[in-house]
Amino acid sequence: MFSRVMLALDLSELTSRMLDVLYSVCLDPETEVYLLHVVRKAEDAAETSSYYKKTYSRLKGLAQDIRNAGYDNVKVLWETDEDILNGIRKAADQYNVNLMIMASHGKGVWASTFRGSSTFNAVRAIEIPTLIVKGDYKCDDYLNRILLPTDFSRKSLIALNYIRNLREHVGEVLFVHVIEGVRGDEELTESKEMAEDMLVELCNEMQNFGINSRYVIADGGAASKEICKLAEEENCSLIISGRTGAGPIKGLLMGSTAQNILLNASRTLWVMPDEDSED
């Protein structure tokens, strides 16, 4: 399904988990794998520098590890750009990749390097499906239990196309709908009944594709907090989220659910673009 995948590497302690995510999601050995490292300083890019020699050697070692795992088409990319995110975006465009894998260290992607850039900003800069490896959570199969939050909008269900294509490898899908801002028990009951009808329909659709699924309806808390809490309680291996259309400041002021999940979830996230991928 994903023919060209790029790993934007800062060579941190999360690198091995990024490889685990690659192996879980990109199952075709013909997948083209690009290992990208972007440096800011021209002196670090020089082949004679100690930084280049040490870092490029490690990148080549990772490339060999991926080849040993069965992927023949692996290429190391070394880019120089004062704006790391811009370097990543340009490389993604140049090689026409259709999946990005990145790492997040608590307060943002490559926090020690980016100086103030957040995970949310990084995802907004790359308009393709993007996997964000986060936190201390580690597993062998990141498709084992997928948490899919939905408000039943088209944007929140874009991921269904990807899940259906991966159906032979998906263990279970957990649909989550969070009810917020209801006024009184009668409205809450009505909202739950409406949500349950649509969630049952989604589960039936998954069943038609041979995918195990179930649903949870939550109420009483902010959607992002409920989603992050359920991901841990249900031991989900992956959370799927859409991208919010708001900018980082506006989105923060609006209390964007998508942004808050990106910043606060402890599990690996799969952030979907606003439009379906052509692939």
Side-chain angles (χ1 to χ4, degrees):
M1 180 173 63
F2 296 107
S3 56
R4 298 171 300 279
V5 57
M6 180 173 287
L7 282 71
L9 296 167
D10 63 348
L11 300 177
S12 69
E13 68 279 2
L14 293 180
T15 297
S16 62
R17 292 184 210 171
M18 293 173 69
L19 298 190
D20 290 338
V21 170
L22 167 69
Y23 302 147
S24 294
V25 175
C26 300
L27 299 149
D28 185 351
E30 297 299 317
T31 300
E32 297 176 17
V33 181
Y34 297 94
L35 303 183
L36 172 68
H37 185 70
V38 183
V39 294
R40 280 178 164 168
K41 300 177 181 178
E43 54 266 33
D44 288 337
E47 295 184 11
T48 55
S49 71
S50 59
Y51 181 87
Y52 179 93
K53 292 176 181 178
K54 179 181 178 180
T55 307
Y56 201 84
S57 176
R58 186 174 176 195
L59 290 168
K60 289 195 297 183
L62 291 171
Q64 188 58 52
D65 290 342
I66 296 171
R67 293 188 187 99
N68 293 342
Y71 300 81
D72 294 327
N73 303 308
V74 186
K75 185 175 183 179
V76 173
L77 305 177
W78 186 276
E79 301 288 341
T80 305
D81 199 307
E82 291 183 359
D83 184 336
I84 301 290
L85 284 179
N86 188 54
I88 295 172
R89 184 172 56 247
K90 286 194 300 184
D93 290 342
Q94 179 181 352
Y95 290 91
N96 195 26
V97 299
N98 45 31
L99 179 68
M100 178 68 68
I101 301 176
M102 308 178 78
S104 174
H105 307 285
K107 293 185 179 180
V109 177
W110 295 1
S112 61
T113 304
F114 277 79
R115 300 299 180 193
S117 291
S118 68
T119 303
F120 179 73
N121 290 339
V123 172
R124 280 179 53 81
I126 302 165
E127 297 180 354
I128 58 174
T130 303
L131 281 153
I132 306 291
V133 180
K134 296 194 68 180
D136 297 327
Y137 178 77
K138 176 179 171 59
C139 71
D140 295 326
D141 181 5
Y142 284 86
L143 296 178
N144 180 52
R145 180 170 293 137
I146 299 173
L147 187 150
L148 177 52
T150 180
D151 58 3
F152 309 114
S153 65
R154 180 179 178 276
K155 286 185 178 181
S156 71
L157 295 173
I158 284 175
L160 292 182
N161 287 334
Y162 298 97
I163 292 172
R164 286 191 288 262
N165 286 329
L166 291 165
R167 58 185 175 274
E168 295 180 2
H169 310 283
V170 173
E172 182 182 45
V173 176
L174 176 62
F175 292 103
V176 176
H177 178 72
V178 181
I179 299 173
E180 294 181 291
V182 294
R183 294 169 292 182
D185 292 341
E186 183 176 346
E187 184 177 345
L188 177 59
T189 299
E190 181 180 347
S191 296
K192 284 185 175 180
E193 290 175 352
M194 292 176 61
E196 187 165 23
D197 288 342
M198 289 184 279
L199 289 164
V200 168
E201 184 176 342
L202 287 171
C203 287
N204 288 339
E205 181 182 346
M206 291 293 96
Q207 185 62 40
N208 291 338
F209 283 89
I211 302 171
N212 294 325
S213 64
R214 55 193 174 92
Y215 65 85
V216 172
I217 300 175
D219 67 272
S224 59
K225 290 184 178 180
E226 292 293 332
I227 290 164
C228 293
K229 181 176 70 173
L230 277 168
E232 296 188 14
E233 291 177 352
E234 296 285 347
N235 194 29
C236 294
S237 49
L238 186 67
I239 302 173
I240 293 181
S241 174
R243 292 172 60 205
T244 178
I249 296 177
K250 182 179 178 183
L252 181 61
L253 294 175
M254 292 173 63
S256 164
T257 297
Q259 178 174 330
N260 288 335
I261 294 171
L262 282 170
L263 296 177
N264 297 312
S266 63
R267 301 302 166 102
T268 291
L269 291 144
W270 195 347
V271 183
M272 294 295 168
D274 294 335
E275 299 295 333
D276 291 337
S277 168
E278 294 180 358
D279 294 329

